[in-house]
Amino acid sequence: MRIAVLGSGSGTNFAAIARAVASGQLCNVDIALVVSDVEHAGILNHARAFGCPCAHIPASNFKTKLEGPPEQAYIDALRAARADYVVLAGFMRMIKRAMLSAFPQRIINIHPSLLPAFPGIHSWEQALSYGVKITGCTVHFVDDGMDSGPIIAQAAVPVLDNDTPASLHARIQEQEHLLYPRVLQWLADGRVRIQGRRVTIANI
């Protein structure tokens, strides 16, 4: 299974995926391309360190959108890389209909909350402010909403009485780095089934 990873930031989830591939923990998965909309993003440094093909492709002038000619540039690059799945790892732009149509039910994302709770940015801060006792992370298919696609898997993280935003975020990231490679292995093994909003994992 060939994956293309899109990210805008430090790239810790990508690094976890790349380590899992390099160690053999994640089998039958090739990282075909890593793309960032930020020229000097950490994810590109990680990609170079792991010897993965990577590119900076500028996006639109809008901070949260990917549409028009920049969107087509992404689609062209992903198709040229023969990506089976598009894996979002801290990509801070909304995926629009053209890319969703180009890769139907083949774009996945990881989000630092137990969706549908706390979509959007800084979800760990939202969780602390709301006072929940359990939060976590979610891997889901991407649709045209804000973190609203069908849920594939989740991992729970307790919120401790002495948590700060930084400490809670760090523990959520620990679970993200375990969950994302696991879901990619399910996809590579052909175990993920989707019907409407319901996603099941087949035992093969």
Side-chain angles (χ1 to χ4, degrees), residues 10-170:
S10 62
T12 60
N13 269 303
F14 164 74
I17 292 167
R19 284 194 298 268
V21 171
S23 69
Q25 173 193 347
L26 183 49
C27 302
N28 301 317
V29 173
D30 291 326
I31 300 171
L33 182 64
V34 179
V35 182
S36 181
D37 57 323
V38 178
E39 185 174 5
H40 301 294
I43 190 172
L44 296 178
N45 294 330
H46 282 302
R48 295 182 189 105
F50 281 99
C52 300
C54 63
H56 163 239
I57 301 179
S60 65
N61 292 328
F62 299 100
K63 288 186 176 181
T64 60
K65 295 181 181 179
L66 179 65
E67 58 186 1
E71 181 182 35
Q72 189 58 50
Y74 273 76
I75 293 170
D76 292 344
L78 298 174
R79 283 176 169 163
R82 296 183 290 114
D84 296 306
Y85 280 89
V86 179
V87 176
L88 307 186
F91 190 61
M92 302 305 292
R93 292 179 181 270
M94 291 283 289
I95 301 300
K96 298 296 185 179
R97 290 191 179 274
M99 187 175 288
L100 291 169
S101 297
F103 298 92
Q105 295 183 347
R106 291 191 289 143
I107 305 176
I108 63 172
N109 181 50
I110 192 161
H111 182 77
S113 78
L114 294 177
L115 292 173
F118 312 124
I121 64 173
H122 303 305
S123 300
W124 56 94
E125 294 180 1
Q126 295 183 54
L128 271 180
S129 296
Y130 199 87
V132 297
K133 302 304 181 185
I134 298 174
T135 185
C137 56
T138 302
V139 179
H140 63 95
F141 285 106
V142 175
D143 61 12
D144 58 0
M146 173 71 77
D147 300 318
S148 58
I151 291 170
I152 303 172
Q154 295 179 304
V157 174
V159 181
L160 306 180
D161 291 342
N162 62 347
D163 260 328
T164 64
S167 66
L168 180 57
H169 189 207

